Amino acid sequence: MQFSVLEKIVISVLSLATLSSFGYEVWKRLSIVLKGLGGFPLDRFAERLWRAFREVLIHERVIRDRLWPGLMHAFVFWGFIAFGIVTLDHFAIGFNRPLLSEVARHSYSFVVIPVAVFVLIGICSLSYRRFVIQPDALGKHSPTSGLVAVFIALLMLTYLYGEISPPAAIVKMNWWLHSLLILAFLILIPRSKHLHLVFAPFNIFFRPFDTPVHQAVSINLEAEEEELDAMLVDLTRLTKNQALDIFSCVECGRCTDACPVQRGGGVLNPKHHFILDLRQPLLDSGDVNVLDQINIEAGWECTTCQACTYACPVGNQVEKSDEIRRLQVMVEGQVPQEYQKLFMNLQETGNTEGAFSSSLADRLPKFTPDKEYVLWLGCFARYNMDPNYTKSVENYAKILDVAGVSYGVLEKEWCSGDPANRLGEKMTYQLLMEHNLEQLSSAKKVTTMCPHCAVNIGKEYRKYGDVPYEVEHHTQVISSLIEDGRLPLSGKTGESVTYHDPCNLSRIFEEVDAPRKVIKATAENFFELEESGKKTLCCGAGGGLWWKKEGTGRTHLVRAEQIMKSGAETVVTGCNFCYGMFNQGLGPMTPEGGDPVKVKDLAELVAENIDSPSNGATHSNVP
């Protein structure tokens, strides 16, 4: 097949015009991304490359949570990789300079022909799902999605037709049709959600390893007015990572499917409110100052559980309630009424309850620098926010005593700042953090039963500077003590036991194994809930919602209903807020005459099975 000079000119003009259009649209978006705050992280470079290989080339996350559609998407993606050399050779033929010899092209066809068939299977399956099954998470019909599906199917069919030696009169016509489809696809990609083909691999590579990655808001009250004004202006701006997220979104709706607020009937839809609603404002303004476009009601509903971020197959840090809340509190001065007293308590007394003393702290040993651990109580335990939970703290003290671990509580422990941090009151958060860092200056190790506190004093404080200690959640400490043989266990409970993973512990503190090791050592009949590990479902108390009245949805009941349906006699958790939520939610769900599901902290389960002379907390560390 030979091409005339005129045909070569047409090919050149069309290719140049198409590539120019493609490049312009990509650069238009990339130039906006580059205006974002901060930079792109390059730490742990080898890990980033390995992650990109797994998640881009292997499609690990795409397949993980939606096996069939994920596999179909992988077929299409792998097909385009296989077709890369074929496409280059195809256009080179148009200039009468093929890249592959006849032998090489024929040999490679044994790979590409089966791949083309799999691509057809994949794109037909995905089209059937979108246009026939129509899952809610995918949203409204997208004309571009239908057009792309047609383009991909025709590309495969024209390639396959070309491989069966069609009549000479049709060969060139088939070549031109195949070429025009490729060029049309290049025009369409940057103007649709299919731009993720370009940006998502980079987004996955640059994705931070920590979750969440909200920018630290450092407030210097002694700074000049201009500096403070600049700080407030920056609160409306996306970071580079966040802007890249928005243009990388594939609009699959997995974040919405995972959201406990959405599942409970609330307003929040992460796919739209935290991602897609910001895309057009970015393009219209040509800048990243769009955070004020986030739906305020949706922002206040978020539990900050990070389920949306964990579910995203293209590496988006989806949750942006921190951004809209800090704007509302620090710039607009709009604080929901139920949080006004909370903030006042934190500012005046250093704790959420406005308390001036703690009977629990008075009963526990005081920390001195010679002791191994600071036992960080947190407001929930320290100020008796659920009276039943006091027993759990005493059981943890018993465990430490039996194992011979020295510990003590801080006399001047203030709230870790989690509610202030998650609710946007960054000035109060900084005040609490500075006080606590001073109190912890002589600590080497800190242990706490509250994952929210563990995340803040262990991870969030590090965004503002170095900290002198390491933080271990009590599930980690107990697991280590059992593994080291320092906790003699008398046996295993015969109850049917399940475990609820707290969001802050599993997804943010990244601990899922330790509690399971402990439960398996202390319970005979342990089984997993439907959603467990990093795929856990939020109890509804995160993001400061413990102090908020329920809005339009019923977020706090979705997980409780799952536990009831599981048939468990006991649900164990490793978070005081989860403990409190289930104590409130499970009781009313118990059928008349039925036995209520028991709620236990992990420490309580272990303490019941310790082989020790005393069955109560000994507090042998008390001076």
Side-chain angles (χ1 to χ4, degrees):
M1 182 170 55
Q2 293 293 311
F3 289 80
S4 67
V5 173
L6 179 60
E7 286 176 314
K8 292 178 184 177
I9 292 173
V10 173
I11 296 168
S12 300
V13 170
L14 289 177
S15 299
L16 183 61
T18 299
L19 290 172
S20 297
S21 171
F22 178 85
Y24 169 77
E25 293 296 336
V26 170
W27 172 248
K28 177 181 176 181
R29 289 153 179 80
L30 181 59
S31 64
I32 296 172
V33 170
L34 294 175
K35 293 178 182 178
L37 299 174
F40 289 115
L42 289 170
D43 59 314
R44 298 157 69 177
F45 192 82
E47 287 184 63
R48 291 182 182 279
L49 284 176
W50 174 237
R51 181 175 66 187
F53 173 78
R54 295 191 336 265
E55 296 185 12
V56 178
L57 295 180
I58 305 301
H59 256 40
E60 179 184 84
R61 286 168 71 99
V62 176
I63 297 172
R64 181 185 66 191
D65 295 328
R66 291 180 182 172
L67 178 59
W68 182 254
L71 189 59
M72 295 302 101
H73 189 280
F75 283 170
V76 176
F77 176 76
W78 294 332
F80 274 90
I81 293 176
F83 266 86
I85 187 67
V86 173
T87 301
L88 292 175
D89 182 60
H90 175 87
F91 279 94
I93 289 172
F95 292 95
N96 298 325
R97 295 180 179 276
L99 299 178
L100 301 177
S101 67
E102 287 294 331
V103 173
R105 191 177 304 115
H106 179 71
S107 299
Y108 194 46
S109 69
F110 286 106
V111 174
V112 181
I113 289 174
V115 167
V117 173
F118 278 110
V119 171
L120 281 170
I121 293 171
I123 199 63
C124 290
S125 297
L126 293 174
S127 299
Y128 180 81
R129 181 171 180 266
R130 170 168 281 278
F131 299 109
V132 179
I133 298 177
Q134 300 182 26
D136 291 339
L138 293 180
K140 299 178 181 178
H141 286 174
S142 169
T144 57
S145 294
L147 197 56
V148 165
V150 171
F151 282 178
I152 293 173
L154 288 176
L155 280 170
M156 297 303 103
L157 291 171
T158 52
Y159 169 78
L160 291 171
Y161 186 66
E163 290 298 310
I164 62 172
S165 300
I170 301 178
V171 170
K172 187 172 284 189
M173 185 184 303
N174 188 67
W175 184 95
W176 275 105
L177 177 58
H178 192 83
S179 301
L180 292 174
L181 287 168
I182 292 171
L183 296 176
F185 196 60
L186 286 174
I187 292 173
L188 186 61
I189 284 174
R191 294 172 172 84
S192 69
K193 70 173 187 177
H194 298 87
L195 184 63
H196 74 272
L197 292 167
V198 179
F199 283 156
F202 296 99
N203 199 46
I204 290 169
F205 178 82
F206 288 121
R207 184 177 80 233
F209 286 99
D210 285 335
T211 300
V213 289
H214 306 298
Q215 292 284 94
V217 181
S218 185
I219 304 168
N220 181 6
L221 295 178
E222 297 180 359
E224 297 292 332
E225 186 175 345
E226 292 79 8
E227 184 179 337
L228 290 172
D229 288 342
M231 181 271 293
L232 293 175
V233 168
D234 280 348
L235 296 183
T236 68
R237 302 179 67 79
L238 295 167
T239 64
K240 286 182 174 64
N241 273 115
Q242 288 174 327
L244 185 60
D245 284 347
I246 290 168
F247 291 126
S248 300
C249 179
V250 68
E251 302 182 27
C252 64
R254 296 188 191 207
C255 55
T256 298
D257 278 347
C259 178
V261 178
Q262 178 69 199
R263 292 168 66 172
V267 170
L268 174 61
N269 182 325
K271 170 182 166 181
H272 290 282
H273 294 133
F274 292 153
I275 298 290
L276 297 185
D277 285 359
L278 304 181
R279 184 180 288 173
Q280 196 57 46
L282 280 174
L283 293 170
D284 291 342
S285 67
D287 205 346
V288 294
N289 54 338
V290 297
L291 287 170
D292 57 350
Q293 300 297 309
I294 297 174
N295 182 287
I296 296 170
E297 183 181 0
W300 284 117
E301 280 191 345
C302 179
T303 69
T304 70
C305 71
Q306 306 307 314
C308 52
T309 292
Y310 180 73
C312 180
V314 293
N316 288 347
Q317 295 273 332
V318 180
E319 181 258 311
K320 294 180 181 62
S321 64
D322 184 270
E323 283 74 9
I324 190 59
R325 290 173 179 183
R326 72 192 187 194
L327 270 174
Q328 286 293 295
V329 173
M330 298 180 65
V331 179
E332 302 296 334
Q334 299 294 323
V335 180
Q337 187 174 3
E338 53 261 49
Y339 295 141
Q340 292 174 11
K341 183 178 180 182
L342 172 66
F343 291 163
M344 184 175 67
N345 286 341
L346 290 170
Q347 292 158 6
E348 293 181 352
T349 65
N351 65 79
T352 60
E353 307 310 293
F356 293 96
S357 63
S358 165
S359 58
L360 174 61
D362 290 342
R363 298 197 302 272
L364 293 170
K366 303 301 180 283
F367 175 74
T368 53
D370 60 306
K371 292 181 177 175
E372 186 176 356
Y373 283 101
V374 168
L375 174 55
W376 184 276
L377 294 176
C379 297
F380 194 100
R382 194 178 185 101
Y383 301 108
N384 209 30
M385 288 165 65
D386 184 327
N388 295 316
Y389 192 71
T390 301
K391 179 177 64 174
S392 298
V393 182
E394 292 174 337
N395 279 319
Y396 185 40
K398 171 187 175 181
I399 291 167
L400 296 175
D401 287 338
V402 170
V405 177
S406 61
Y407 65 92
V409 300
L410 295 174
E411 293 191 64
K412 296 182 179 179
E413 173 192 301
W414 282 5
C415 177
S416 68
D418 177 75
N421 192 27
R422 297 294 176 232
L423 294 170
E425 181 40 295
K426 303 298 182 177
M427 188 177 296
T428 299
Y429 180 68
Q430 187 167 316
L431 174 72
L432 297 167
M433 175 183 63
E434 290 172 353
H435 170 86
N436 288 330
L437 285 174
E438 183 179 347
Q439 299 301 308
L440 290 165
S441 59
S442 60
K444 296 293 188 295
K445 292 196 287 186
V446 179
T447 181
T448 181
M449 300 175 71
C450 177
H452 298 248
C453 293
V455 166
N456 276 272
I457 62 178
K459 298 185 74 169
E460 292 289 311
Y461 285 10
R462 294 181 193 275
K463 293 179 180 179
Y464 295 82
D466 294 332
V467 298
Y469 52 80
E470 295 297 324
V471 177
E472 296 178 59
H473 189 254
H474 79 301
T475 61
Q476 297 171 317
V477 174
I478 295 172
S479 178
S480 295
L481 293 175
I482 293 175
E483 189 172 345
D484 294 343
R486 297 173 63 182
L487 271 183
L489 300 176
S490 59
K492 296 184 178 183
T493 179
E495 294 179 343
S496 173
V497 175
T498 192
Y499 175 67
H500 163 76
D501 289 271
C503 303
N504 276 260
L505 183 61
S506 61
R507 282 194 283 258
I508 303 179
F509 210 65
E510 298 187 287
E511 181 56 73
V512 296
D513 294 330
R516 285 170 170 77
K517 290 178 182 177
V518 175
I519 295 174
K520 288 174 183 178
T522 53
E524 291 180 354
N525 302 313
F526 167 65
F527 68 92
E528 297 281 7
L529 286 169
E530 180 182 348
E531 294 171 278
S532 59
K534 291 187 177 182
K535 293 173 64 176
T536 189
L537 180 60
C538 184
C539 73
L545 297 192
W546 174 270
W547 291 273
K548 186 179 185 297
K549 297 176 182 177
E550 188 70 37
T552 56
R554 49 196 297 278
T555 308
H556 65 298
L557 296 179
V558 180
R559 185 58 156 179
E561 288 173 347
Q562 274 192 353
I563 293 169
M564 287 297 301
K565 291 176 183 177
S566 75
E569 294 176 89
T570 299
V571 58
V572 175
T573 187
C575 174
N576 38 26
F577 287 100
C578 297
Y579 181 97
M581 292 298 284
F582 296 147
N583 260 337
Q584 294 177 16
L586 291 173
M589 293 183 182
T590 304
E592 187 175 350
D595 294 327
V597 177
K598 300 172 188 174
V599 181
K600 294 181 181 180
D601 182 86
L602 190 77
E604 184 176 349
L605 184 69
V606 174
E608 291 172 349
N609 292 278
I610 288 180
D611 186 13
S612 65
S614 171
N615 197 37
T618 62
H619 306 319
S620 60
N621 287 286
V622 179

